Amino acid sequence: MAANQALLVVDVQNDFCPGGTLAVPQGDTVIPVINRYLRFFNDKELPIFVSRDWHPKETKHFKRFGGIWPMHCVQNTPGANFHATLKLPPEAVILSKGMDPEQDSYSAFQAKDEEGRDLKEILEDLQVKHLFVCGLATDYCVKASVLDAIKNGFQTFLLLDAVKGVNMHPQDSRKAIDEMNKKGAKNITITDLPEA
Ligand code: VGL
Ligand code: ZN
């Protein structure tokens, strides 16, 4: 693999896993596969980004304040922690999003690192050209992140065996994948990686 590739792991947080307040059905079942991608990229010293939903207690994103979602991923609560079985290497860059109480922000391209830099800036700095995306949820944050990656000119790969959707309507994930593919995302699975 060429050096201009990076991995983006979207929102693998307790509240999106079984037992959480906005559980993605079987959301935790993709974590072992995500860990294999993490190991693969880390072994090759390729950059790894992990986004997290990081909401204030009061935000228009939540039902109580006019949005569509139950409370989830409130800053500094256990629900906002990365799932305990996710094996994040210390080099992984954490990007937080959803802090603005006035708006929904689903895309990791709306997220910022500790220094306030956004994903696009960092990827361009590192001369990343190919972005590999996995995580939760297929039909929301993964979709928004993949579509933004394409818009921003990155060749974008959807890691099909390492995503799961909310499926408020039963076909939502299927439709999201179709839309990502139509816009140019390529589907791959772990066996497509060399020597994975
Ligand atoms: C997400 C719904 C609400 C996600 C975040 O990470 O996909 N979904 N907030
Ligand atoms: Zn959210």
Side-chain angles (χ1 to χ4, degrees):
M1 308 237 292
N4 50 11
Q5 301 173 323
L7 177 65
L8 170 63
V9 179
V10 176
D11 300 6
V12 182
Q13 293 166 273
N14 289 329
D15 274 340
F16 294 125
C17 292
T21 59
L22 181 44
V24 173
Q26 303 174 326
D28 56 341
T29 61
V30 292
I31 297 174
V33 189
I34 294 175
N35 286 337
R36 290 184 64 187
Y37 286 109
L38 283 165
R39 189 158 9 100
F40 183 91
F41 278 76
N42 198 48
D43 284 351
K44 296 190 162 42
E45 297 181 14
L46 293 168
I48 295 170
F49 299 91
V50 270
S51 68
R52 63 179 180 185
D53 224 22
W54 195 244
H55 297 307
K57 271 204 273 301
E58 296 186 15
T59 161
K60 287 185 177 164
H61 189 61
F62 296 157
K63 263 183 212 147
R64 287 183 57 187
F65 307 101
I68 63 169
W69 302 109
M71 265 213 176
H72 61 275
C73 299
V74 172
Q75 294 165 13
N76 304 305
T77 63
N81 287 346
F82 292 114
H83 194 276
T85 63
L86 186 70
K87 294 193 181 131
L88 287 182
E91 294 84 358
V93 174
I94 295 172
L95 300 164
S96 306
K97 65 182 169 60
M99 291 83 84
D100 183 345
E102 296 300 320
Q103 60 169 7
D104 295 307
S105 43
Y106 294 110
S107 168
F109 283 83
Q110 293 167 292
K112 310 246 181 216
D113 73 4
E114 272 185 340
E115 286 144 32
R117 305 176 75 211
D118 68 28
L119 181 56
K120 180 170 189 250
E121 267 179 85
I122 306 172
L123 292 174
E124 285 176 353
D125 247 28
L126 297 171
Q127 298 186 305
V128 169
K129 302 277 184 271
H130 313 283
L131 188 63
F132 294 73
V133 185
C134 62
L136 308 173
T138 314
D139 37 0
Y140 289 94
C141 290
V142 170
K143 177 174 114 177
S145 303
V146 163
L147 296 182
D148 274 351
I150 295 167
K151 269 188 215 144
N152 285 308
F154 299 98
Q155 188 189 23
T156 309
F157 295 88
L158 177 65
L159 306 179
L160 208 56
D161 49 354
V163 292
K164 274 278 182 252
V166 179
N167 288 325
M168 288 232 274
H169 310 284
Q171 295 303 314
D172 283 357
S173 290
R174 185 67 255 158
K175 285 185 194 153
I177 293 167
D178 286 347
E179 187 181 343
M180 291 186 264
N181 292 159
K182 255 191 218 114
K183 299 263 163 69
K186 293 211 169 68
N187 296 337
I188 69 163
T189 61
I190 195 86
T191 54
D192 296 316
L193 297 181
E195 324 126 38

